[in-house]
Amino acid sequence: MYSDDQRLNIQVCEDEEKISQFLILRWQEISREAILKRGFFAAALSGGKTPVFFYRRLAQAGKSFSWDRIHLFLADERWVDFTHPDSTYRMLQETLLRKIPIPDGHVHPIPVNTPSPYESAKLYEEELVRFFRLSPGQFPCFDLILLGIGQDGHTASLFPSGSALSDQALASPVILNDKRHDRVTLTLPVINNASDIIFLVTGEDKAPVLRRIIEERDRSLPAVWVYPDRGNLLFLIDRGAGAQLHRHGRT
Ligand code: 6PG
């Protein structure tokens, strides 16, 4: 099981405030180390509701961070205009980006002004190749990827049984064929090449899926396939999300 693995940690916090404090400290540690090592810190951020409180706290706490050494990417995006209420980039602008002194060229949104999600994925891949100076066949190494988990076990925009799950490209289009927006997502080889991956999961409605991921390792759930090749994996959760975990939930 994951829980016996040295590189996997589960941190249960009392509430969103404690989660934010923990994550801001971790952000500082990881970024300091990355900047010392390679001169910059590259993180990929997720959308959804869960991380909103953290982005707001990061904006407050991060006034003095070295934003000129920090590059922010997205783990996934809905293929909608940046002005759309469901755009992750829009959410990030409102909660974080407009409140911090990060240079314009250091924010790398997934382009959506394209004929289809296929072109978006292609353009994002080109951006990753350019930024990380990748040779063919190489994958970018993010210092940190922050992910959420849906009740169906999806993470980023890797959905159960979706073709993106086995895509070996850097970014993949996700065509949902229903009323949901199409999306673009980083792929598993990119996610698993990160130095640190943190799943941020809160609320009792996520308790069943978290148990299936951490304790049952149910392979039908995309989040189970997230496991860094060399880096660290942390589940940063509240008591509600951990309620069905034998070792970490309520007793
Ligand atoms: C998104 C995500 C997605 C999200 C989960 C959890 O932009 O929607 O990247 O993977 O993290 O769906 O979403 P909630 O935080 O809203 O529960």
Side-chain angles (χ1 to χ4, degrees), residues 58-233:
L58 184 65
Q60 289 166 350
K63 300 249 184 283
S64 59
F65 288 6
S66 314
W67 291 105
D68 56 335
R69 299 292 190 93
I70 296 176
H71 284 262
L72 299 179
F73 293 77
L74 268 71
D76 66 320
E77 177 62 285
R78 293 166 180 81
W79 192 67
V80 294
D81 194 83
F82 288 149
T83 55
H84 193 284
D86 296 335
S87 160
T88 293
Y89 180 59
R90 186 197 57 83
M91 179 275 280
L92 279 167
Q93 278 185 314
E94 288 173 5
T95 56
L96 175 67
L97 303 175
R98 287 198 195 119
K99 301 179 180 176
I100 53 170
I102 188 164
D104 279 352
H106 287 215
V107 180
H108 307 261
I110 296 179
V112 289
N113 196 5
T114 53
S116 80
Y118 292 88
E119 283 85 0
S120 290
K122 185 97 185 37
L123 287 174
Y124 210 45
E125 176 152 313
E126 285 168 14
E127 173 70 356
L128 293 169
V129 167
R130 186 196 61 76
F131 178 80
F132 288 96
R133 298 179 184 176
L134 304 175
S135 308
Q138 280 187 321
F139 292 101
C141 180
F142 281 100
D143 300 298
L144 172 65
I145 300 188
L146 187 62
L147 295 171
I149 297 178
Q151 286 182 42
D152 62 354
H154 81 264
T155 188
S157 288
L158 299 166
F159 289 92
S161 314
S163 60
L165 263 178
S166 54
D167 198 339
Q168 296 297 304
L170 307 186
S172 192
V174 178
I175 310 299
L176 290 169
N177 294 325
D178 54 24
K179 290 203 173 116
R180 291 174 297 171
H181 304 298
D182 291 336
R183 297 174 177 222
V184 175
T185 187
L186 296 183
T187 56
L188 276 174
V190 173
I191 293 174
N192 287 336
N193 202 40
S195 303
D196 271 273
I197 301 174
I198 299 180
F199 279 119
L200 184 58
V201 191
T202 60
E204 210 143 340
D205 56 335
K206 301 283 176 69
V209 76
L210 209 56
R211 176 180 44 76
R212 287 172 64 202
I213 292 165
I214 293 176
E215 295 190 352
E216 294 170 18
R217 294 198 69 179
D218 180 340
R219 287 164 179 249
S220 69
L221 306 175
V224 167
W225 295 94
V226 171
Y227 191 80
D229 299 332
R230 291 170 297 279
N232 307 303
L233 178 59

Side-chain angles (χ1 to χ4, degrees), residues 13-30:
C13 292
E14 203 61 50
D15 53 30
E16 290 187 340
E17 204 47 56
K18 292 274 185 315
I19 287 184
S20 294
Q21 286 169 12
F22 183 96
L23 195 45
I24 287 168
L25 281 179
R26 202 60 203 113
W27 176 286
Q28 286 176 290
E29 284 167 3
I30 296 171

